[in-house]
Amino acid sequence: MKAKTNKSTVKSEINIAPFTDVVLVLLIIFMIATPALMQPEIQVNLPKAESADSGNTSTSIEALISQDGKVAIDGKVIDLSDVERVIRELLAEDPTKSIVIKGDVKVNYDHVMQFMDKAKKAGATKFALAVETK
């Protein structure tokens, strides 16, 4: 008599359920954290006005000037001495860009003028002052 041998085969399948759970949790974390990271590092309280012109912001450079004179251009905080270089680089990409200055309601007028002077030296010709509508 022949003895029957049970040949059991081992199935090697990868269970991706735990991997999927981890990926979904990471996705949720990034979805929650991204808006916080996209906020500018300096906070500016804009002055209020009755009317405001909503210009084309896609072809403009956004400059934030805080109450204590800190400057952020397109969300990146820079030193006032670097304004000319950074504006020159941004205008090299598109010389028709305008600069939208978002100065804090309590910013010293001198800080705004120093910024504008350096931007003019870099080749900027169009400026706009941002306000918050009432």
Side-chain angles (χ1 to χ4, degrees):
M1 269 210 230
K2 243 181 177 182
K4 290 186 178 181
T5 58
N6 273 342
K7 288 188 178 181
S8 60
T9 59
V10 177
K11 292 183 179 181
S12 59
E13 294 179 5
I14 298 174
N15 185 2
I16 65 166
F19 176 71
T20 306
D21 292 342
V22 170
V23 169
L24 289 175
V25 168
L26 288 174
L27 178 65
I28 292 170
I29 289 171
F30 285 127
M31 287 172 55
I32 293 171
T34 300
L37 296 174
M38 298 304 289
Q39 296 294 326
E41 293 182 22
I42 60 174
Q43 298 298 320
V44 173
N45 295 323
L46 293 176
K48 303 207 184 322
E50 290 292 327
S51 63
D53 180 21
S54 59
N56 188 358
T57 57
S58 64
T59 60
S60 62
I61 299 168
E62 183 181 85
L64 299 172
I65 304 175
S66 69
Q67 178 177 335
D68 55 354
K70 290 182 184 175
V71 176
I73 296 179
D74 285 344
K76 298 175 188 167
V77 177
I78 62 168
D79 193 55
L80 189 60
S81 61
D82 293 332
V83 167
E84 190 174 342
R85 178 187 55 81
V86 171
I87 296 289
R88 187 173 289 120
E89 289 172 0
L90 291 171
L91 289 176
E93 298 167 7
D94 183 7
T96 63
K97 286 186 175 182
S98 61
I99 298 178
V100 178
I101 300 172
K102 294 183 175 184
D104 192 273
V105 69
K106 295 181 181 179
V107 70
N108 189 341
Y109 187 64
D110 185 50
H111 295 305
V112 176
M113 291 310 300
Q114 286 179 16
F115 174 82
M116 288 181 70
D117 185 46
K118 291 183 183 294
K120 283 181 183 178
K121 287 180 184 176
T125 56
K126 298 184 223 174
F127 293 93
L129 298 175
V131 294
E132 188 176 297
T133 55
K134 289 185 179 179

